Amino acid sequence: MKPIYLFLILFTSVTLTAVAQDEHPVIGVLVDSATREPVQFAHVTNHSTNQLTVTNAQGRFRIPASVGDTLVFSIVGYQTLGWIARQEWLDEEISLALPQDTLLLNDVIVQNIPTEEIFKRRILNYQPEDTSFWYHGMPLPVAREDPMLNEKTIKNPLYMATHPLSAMYYNFSKQEKEKRKYHRVIQNEHREQRVYAKFSREWVHEVTALEGNELTDFIFYCDYSLDYLDKTPLYLIREDLLAKLTEFKRDQRG
């Protein structure tokens, strides 16, 4: 049994010595293929032995390898390339070139960036295309307004008594105050759009037959509030408009 153990020990030692003798350090420098400048801190991997190193500030590297091993070089901004180690690499310093990894992009159009206020208004005013289906003859659903956006709701004594914690949050939370502020802005904009669609300069001209500066003076003379024009039916506004027209012409003559 002892001769067998002695033979195995000698065989293993010879094998390890042979492997060690076949493996030599590959020494070289990695450069940019276009500028010939050294490529710093690139990863150098011997995929055959799973050994790894990194190029230094001068692009130089040193890694153990044998003839036939695959050496892979990689770094961000460059193509990842691999080479098979040759016999001459083990005898002299080598120089390898790594090409840059270029990517062609489409043309980019740069526009002015809107302010945060304008951006928020555009988001709040955005109306997505209605792709919903509704059966003919059925009434359309009415969108419910969030009651927490109404100052009267959160300041109602009954609500404050029955929901004290919620009332404190909605009354003192900065975020909720901002929500109500923007809600009021949007509500005012919608009201103005409704009023301008109902009470336009063209409509007043059709009712009164006034033109030019006289029409402008008459509109200022009426001095209707947005709230009145929004809530009052159009036929009542027309009657009041004709009554004010008589007064306006009398004042003009006087």
Side-chain angles (χ1 to χ4, degrees), residues 226-251:
L226 289 177
D227 192 57
Y228 169 79
L229 294 174
D230 185 38
K231 296 181 179 179
T232 306
L234 195 59
Y235 75 93
L236 292 179
I237 298 177
R238 181 189 180 93
E239 290 180 1
D240 189 69
L241 200 68
L242 293 175
K244 286 184 177 294
L245 179 61
T246 303
E247 299 175 3
F248 174 75
K249 289 184 174 180
R250 185 169 59 247
D251 292 344

Side-chain angles (χ1 to χ4, degrees), residues 34-215:
T35 64
R36 311 308 296 181
E37 293 290 329
V39 179
Q40 304 175 353
F41 313 120
H43 290 86
V44 184
T45 307
N46 186 336
H47 274 208
S48 303
T49 61
N50 291 326
Q51 292 176 294
L52 173 68
T53 188
V54 178
T55 61
N56 62 15
Q58 289 75 40
R60 299 178 63 83
F61 65 91
R62 177 190 179 98
I63 187 168
S66 302
V67 176
D69 286 356
T70 301
L71 302 183
V72 178
F73 298 79
S74 63
I75 187 174
V76 176
Y78 288 83
Q79 297 180 23
T80 299
L81 295 181
W83 284 271
I84 303 298
R86 300 193 292 269
Q87 180 61 48
E88 55 267 27
W89 287 18
L90 308 179
D91 301 329
E92 59 185 16
E93 184 173 312
I94 63 173
S95 177
L96 301 176
L98 201 62
Q100 294 185 9
D101 191 8
T102 57
L103 178 64
L104 296 178
L105 300 176
N106 295 329
D107 293 340
V108 178
I109 300 176
V110 180
Q111 298 178 342
N112 291 332
I113 300 177
T115 63
E116 182 180 1
E117 183 75 18
I118 295 176
F119 178 76
K120 287 182 178 179
R121 288 195 179 188
R122 288 179 181 177
I123 292 296
L124 292 173
N125 290 332
Y126 173 71
Q127 296 294 332
E129 182 181 356
D130 186 8
T131 58
S132 60
F133 174 79
W134 201 253
Y135 289 100
H136 177 70
M138 293 184 64
L140 294 174
V142 179
R144 287 179 53 188
E145 183 179 285
D146 186 356
M148 296 299 101
L149 295 176
N150 192 328
E151 293 282 351
K152 293 182 179 179
T153 300
I154 63 174
K155 295 185 182 301
N156 186 298
L158 180 60
Y159 175 78
M160 297 177 71
T162 55
H163 304 82
L165 295 179
S166 297
M168 289 181 62
Y169 170 75
Y170 285 109
N171 278 284
F172 297 105
S173 169
K174 183 178 180 180
Q175 182 179 1
E176 293 300 324
K177 288 181 180 178
E178 288 294 322
K179 283 184 181 180
R180 293 196 296 274
K181 177 181 176 181
Y182 281 109
H183 178 70
R184 289 194 299 270
V185 170
I186 298 303
Q187 290 296 96
N188 288 335
E189 290 182 352
H190 290 171
R191 183 177 64 170
E192 290 176 0
Q193 293 174 1
R194 291 194 302 269
V195 168
Y196 294 148
K198 178 197 292 187
F199 189 79
S200 65
R201 184 182 178 88
E202 291 75 16
W203 181 78
V204 177
H205 166 69
E206 291 177 4
V207 174
T208 63
L210 298 177
E211 295 180 344
N213 292 334
E214 190 177 23
L215 176 61

Side-chain angles (χ1 to χ4, degrees), residues 12-23:
T12 304
S13 301
V14 170
T15 304
L16 292 175
T17 303
V19 172
Q21 288 175 349
D22 289 340
E23 198 173 74

